[in-house]
Amino acid sequence: MLRRRHVLVANGRVTAVSATPIQAPSGSLTVDGPGVLARGFVDTHIHGRSGFDVMRPGDVAPLSLELLSQGVIGFLPTVVSAPPNELAAALSAANGDPRGARVLGIHAEGPFLSPDQPGMFPPDAFRDYDRALWRDMQAAAASPIRLMTVAAERLTPTQIDELRADGVTLSLGHTNATLDQALAAFDSGVNRVTHAFNAMRGFHHRAPGVVGALLDRGEIDAELILDGLHVARAPARILAATRTTGRIVLVSDSVPPAACPPGDYPWAGRRLRVDNDSIRLPTGRLAGSALTLDAAVRRAVDWLGRSPAAALHMASEAPRASVGLDPGGLRPGAAADLVLLDPHLHPRLTIVGGAVRWRQNNEQRCANAASGAD
Ligand SMILES: [Zn+2]
C-alpha cells in the first residue's frame, strides 16, 4: 500500500519528507487530494513521440515538454544507428527545453550491433567496434552518452573496458550472442540488457542465448517494454520472478509516430504503419512502441502483480540506478523532481526542479474517469 507523504521543497531540492503534514512557509506550493507523491519517472529508451524525432535536430526540446504528462522528469534521448554525419547531427542537437523534462544524458542504440538481430532497423549502419567513431560520437554529443546498446559478439573484453572507462553503461541488445558470449560480456562489466526478449536470440533450453543469461543472472538490469505486444505477459512475469524490483527497468521505446493518427510514417529508413494499438513495418514486424511510461507502471501492477510502490520504483529508481544516476529515493537533498499521481496511478502533476511543469487538465481527468481506472 502506498503511504501519503508530505514533502517540503526549497531551491529546487527536497528539504523534508514526512508522513504527517509539515508546517510549510507561506507562499509555498501545497498539493492536496487523494493520491501519491513519488520521485518522477526516467525513460532511458525513447526515440520520439507525437511526431517529434530524436534524430531530427530541434525535436528533443518539444519532446521534453511532451513527456511531462507521463510523469517523466528526465530521459535519455535515444539515437539510432545512422551514417556518421546524421548521428553526429542528432547527438549535437540533443538539448531539452528548460521548461521540460531533463535530458539526463543520451542513449546510443548502436552502432556496434549485430546484423543478425536488426529488429526494425536497416543493418547497413551497424558496424564493428570503431574507437575513432566512438570518439567522434562523444565529441559531438550535447549531453554525455550515458548508455550504449551493444552486441556482445561485436566487442572484446578490452573494448568493453575502454568504453566503460569513458563512463558509459553498456547494455546488450540487437545481439545474436550465445549464452556463453552473453555471460562473458556480463563478467567483463556489461550490467544491463536492452528491451529484454526483443532483438535477441530466443530462449531455447539447449541454446538459451542472452535471454537465458539474463534469467540466470538476477543482478543484471533488464529493460522491459510492458505494452503487451513486445513481450507477452507470461515471459514478463518470468523475467520479473528472477530479479528484484530494482533490476527491472521500465522503458517506453516509443518512436516518433507514437500517439499519431493511424497511417503511414517514414522513420529510420523504414515506413512505419500506425494502427490503433501498434506500430509495425509493412511486413507486420513490430517497429517500436506507442507506450507511455505511466501506462507501463500501471501494467506492472496489473500484469506483474507488483505493488504500486514497486511499480513506481521500476520507472524511477531502477532506471536511474541502471545508468549510474542517483537512485537514492525521495529524501532530503534529492532534486525536487516529482510526480503526483491519483490513486489509479495516473499522473496529475509533474514537478521538475521544484517547479510545477505540468498539471492534468479537466479534459484529461474526465477522459480517465470515462474509461474507468486503466
Ligand atoms: Zn529503441
Side-chain angles (χ1 to χ4, degrees):
M1 192 51 208
L2 287 166
R3 288 173 290 123
R4 283 294 297 277
R5 283 188 290 196
H6 301 264
V7 171
L8 200 61
V9 167
N11 300 322
R13 304 226 150 240
V14 172
T15 52
V17 180
S18 166
T20 54
I22 304 169
Q23 193 63 42
S26 65
S28 54
L29 170 74
T30 48
V31 179
D32 236 323
V36 62
L37 195 60
R39 253 182 137 199
F41 305 149
V42 171
D43 196 347
T44 53
H45 192 156
I46 174 164
H47 302 286
R49 187 171 180 82
S50 300
F52 301 125
D53 180 356
V54 168
M55 295 304 289
R56 190 162 53 224
D59 275 15
V60 172
L63 179 63
S64 73
L65 293 167
E66 167 91 14
L67 296 181
L68 293 170
S69 65
Q70 302 179 20
V72 168
I73 62 81
F75 66 115
L76 303 186
T78 304
V79 298
V80 299
S81 307
N85 56 339
E86 262 178 62
L87 191 53
L91 287 166
S92 65
N95 294 304
D97 187 297
R99 298 160 301 166
R102 300 176 193 269
V103 172
L104 296 170
I106 293 170
H107 177 176
E109 192 171 11
F112 312 133
L113 304 178
S114 165
D116 294 328
Q117 293 287 351
M120 64 146 292
F121 298 118
D124 11 308
F126 293 178
R127 58 193 69 228
D128 286 324
Y129 178 71
D130 177 340
R131 185 89 188 137
L133 174 61
W134 166 239
R135 286 268 172 255
D136 290 347
M137 287 169 65
Q138 279 184 302
S143 177
I145 300 175
R146 207 173 275 290
L147 177 63
M148 183 152 67
T149 294
V150 296
E153 63 274 37
R154 287 279 203 192
L155 295 176
T156 66
T158 308
Q159 292 162 346
I160 288 173
D161 280 348
E162 281 176 8
L163 289 166
R164 291 185 66 233
D166 289 333
V168 61
T169 297
L170 299 179
S171 191
L172 295 188
H174 295 279
T175 170
N176 206 32
T178 62
L179 175 80
D180 289 345
Q181 286 172 318
L183 293 176
F186 294 156
D187 291 340
S188 298
V190 175
N191 64 336
R192 201 177 184 286
V193 165
T194 296
H195 40 52
F197 300 103
N198 294 110
M200 57 190 61
R201 190 188 287 261
F203 181 84
H204 183 282
H205 58 290
R206 279 189 292 275
V210 176
V211 172
L214 181 62
L215 296 176
D216 191 41
R217 293 281 178 92
E219 75 278 15
I220 301 296
D221 295 313
E223 278 188 11
L224 186 58
I225 309 173
L226 211 49
D227 64 352
L229 297 168
H230 282 77
V231 184
R233 297 185 200 186
R237 280 195 285 271
I238 292 167
L239 177 75
T242 61
R243 59 205 60 239
T244 62
T245 297
R247 299 291 181 209
I248 303 166
V249 179
L250 297 178
V251 295
S252 71
D253 197 7
S254 74
V255 291
C260 290
D264 283 2
Y265 299 85
W267 184 63
R270 301 286 201 213
R271 183 150 288 279
L272 273 51
R273 183 157 297 162
V274 174
D275 64 22
N276 288 319
D277 69 339
S278 69
I279 301 176
R280 298 174 187 274
L281 299 179
T283 59
R285 175 186 273 277
L286 285 171
S289 90
L291 183 63
T292 60
L293 212 50
D294 61 309
V297 167
R298 294 189 291 275
R299 284 168 184 165
V301 176
D302 294 342
W303 297 353
L304 304 182
R306 294 295 173 100
S307 69
L312 292 168
H313 194 93
M314 292 178 201
S316 56
E317 308 303 333
R320 283 176 171 90
S322 78
V323 296
L325 293 166
D326 163 34
L330 189 52
R331 62 173 203 305
D337 296 343
L338 309 169
V339 57
L340 180 79
L341 304 117
D342 72 15
H344 306 292
L345 300 179
H346 288 278
R348 288 176 52 206
L349 198 71
T350 303
I351 296 171
V352 185
V356 175
R357 298 283 175 82
W358 176 85
R359 202 185 277 274
Q360 185 189 48
N361 62 31
N362 278 340
E363 198 183 314
Q364 290 155 332
R365 195 155 38 240
C366 295
N368 287 347
S371 66
D374 175 2

